[in-house]
Amino acid sequence: MTDELERLANGVLWPGFLGTEAPAWLLDELRDGLAGVVYFGQNVGEGLPALSAQILDANPAALIGVDEEGGSVTRLESATGSTLPGAAQLGTLDDLVASERTGAELARRVRAVGGNVVLGPVADVNTDHRNPVIGVRSFGADAELVSRHAVAMLDGIQDGGAAACVKHFPGHGDTHVDSHHALPRIDLDLDEYEREHLEPFRAAVEAGVDAVMTAHIVVPGWGDAPATLNPRVLGILRDWGFDGVIITDALDMAAIRETVGLGGGAARALAAGVDLLCIGNPTNPGEAALPDQDLRDFRAARDGIVAALRDGSLSRERVEEAAGRVAALAAKLQAQAAREHAGQQPVDGFDAQDIARRAVTLVGAAPESAEALAVIDARRRSTLAVDSAASYVASALAGDGVRVRLDVAARPVTEQDDVIAEVVAAPGTTVVLVDRPDAEPAQRALVERTATRDPHAVVVNVGLPARTPLPLPTVEVGAASRLGAQTAREALQGRFPLRQRSTTAG
């Protein structure tokens, strides 16, 4: 039986869990006031609506969140790739109606499986082209553009009956370090930081966003603590008048787990002003994950809170305040769900294929159309945030043609040249699939050697647009998704005209 302090802590905890069925411990904790759950790819299957119903039966006020952004980040379509436009595509298009309708479709899909919180949109302004964790998840590098599209998307999500959660406050766009693996430090002048990175979050707050997710980043001008644990940073949101739910980014990320620890991070985040603690994805440790990793992580976080409550380093009033905000959001969503029927009607005027076609661009001469494509997939390895190397991208691009995966960071040049020769000799147009041509010299070098071997080859880039043009015609897609890859394939087959992109763009 959960004791009083554990039950209080449950009201601010948001764990992930293993498998496509709710484990017994999770249902027990939901009955004892657990705030809800976050779905990750390993939870998704045909039985997801039934799983959501089981969770809501155990706790009708449960918040069920899904890290669903469209484009390069999806949980609901993690096996096959997203069929929704991503933020960079929407930013390139700069059509606010398209962004709002995409948000509404995100809400429809999440609600159709029983969820009620969309962990998006991304409001980060991606000002560092080396950024390994945001990149095309951002609408762009301009604060005004990001602000208007973040607001349009959150309006679509919340009008669609789900809560939106803008992320990652105060802005994760100016870093080349991935907080899943280390603690990024952003040494910008505070005036510049506020001007370039805070504005989209301020705009979201003014638009009435339900929730804001923190970033595990250090901005020295605000102190040495990461934003998630920093009352000065979180206080900015309250100073703006935000009274919604502040949610942590996953506490199992190395930036927290390997510094203050999961339990210590949970207690310190609450003390700093956070309301809901996303514990994280229990599969993140990979082969080191234990069969009960989900329960271990949950207990570590809760034990840290209870210990801090008992020793006085965390006040009961602060946790009660946080739990009250979480409960208020849950009550709002329950009332909405009682009035509406989720997932029944398509979003008026939403056409993902049309959006993707209008967003894709070409740098260089138009390639000759070809039905067959032979693809060298040279993208970076997957990260915890983005399944960068997912096979569905290259598969959707190549169709029935040849497709070879090539890890340019690990394979010697002689072996890479053997792959180039193999693919160039195959039927069809040679395509080099990349995602970081500026940040990873090995990708650009591969393109250059391919151009020497086959001057009629083309490049498909699913990452940030190349700032320095590549030596081959380049189709800029803006998302590592099934939709993006299919759109690039159609373009190379001549099914629709490609819009020329300025080489100074992006």
Side-chain angles (χ1 to χ4, degrees), residues 371-427:
E371 283 300 313
L373 303 177
V375 177
I376 304 172
D377 181 1
R379 293 170 298 148
R380 63 174 169 159
R381 298 169 182 172
S382 295
T383 69
L384 294 177
V386 183
D387 196 4
S388 311
S391 62
Y392 52 69
V393 177
S395 178
L397 180 61
D400 295 330
V402 169
R403 168 170 60 94
V404 179
R405 171 73 182 147
L406 178 58
D407 186 347
V408 292
R411 299 276 291 275
V413 169
T414 53
E415 290 185 23
Q416 294 181 37
D417 287 343
D418 290 343
V419 170
I420 294 172
E422 173 191 345
V423 174
V424 167

Side-chain angles (χ1 to χ4, degrees), residues 39 43 108 167 250 253 258 286 340 350 366 368 374 394 422 438 484:
Y39 286 153
N43 305 124
R108 188 195 70 79
K167 57 190 185 184
M253 291 160 61
E258 295 180 12
E340 303 166 4
F350 177 71
E368 294 183 10
E422 173 191 345
D438 288 326

Side-chain angles (χ1 to χ4, degrees), residues 29-65:
E29 299 298 346
L30 285 161
R31 296 183 190 103
D32 271 329
L34 183 65
V37 301
V38 183
Y39 286 153
F40 294 96
Q42 77 270 3
N43 305 124
V44 174
E46 291 183 5
L48 194 56
L51 173 61
S52 298
Q54 188 182 22
I55 288 167
L56 291 169
D57 182 60
N59 180 1
L63 297 178
I64 301 177

Side-chain angles (χ1 to χ4, degrees), residues 230-249:
N230 191 328
R232 186 174 174 189
V233 175
L234 302 184
I236 293 170
L237 288 168
R238 301 305 183 201
D239 290 344
W240 290 344
F242 179 64
D243 197 37
V245 178
I246 299 177
I247 304 175
T248 68
D249 204 346

Side-chain angles (χ1 to χ4, degrees), residues 183 218 223-232 234 248 251 255-256 259-275 277 301 304-306 308-309 313-315 318-319:
L183 182 58
V218 171
D224 294 330
T228 299
L229 313 179
N230 191 328
R232 186 174 174 189
L234 302 184
T248 68
L251 293 176
I256 300 297
T259 55
V260 297
L262 223 166
R268 286 185 57 183
L270 283 167
V274 161
D275 303 305
L277 305 167
I305 296 168
V306 171
L309 285 167
S313 58
L314 175 63
S315 74
R318 169 77 271 273
V319 184

Side-chain angles (χ1 to χ4, degrees), residues 284-310:
N284 280 346
E287 293 181 0
L290 298 168
D292 62 345
Q293 190 70 48
D294 49 1
L295 178 56
R296 287 172 180 262
D297 288 352
F298 166 72
R299 284 185 174 162
R302 189 173 69 183
D303 288 351
I305 296 168
V306 171
L309 285 167
R310 287 184 174 143

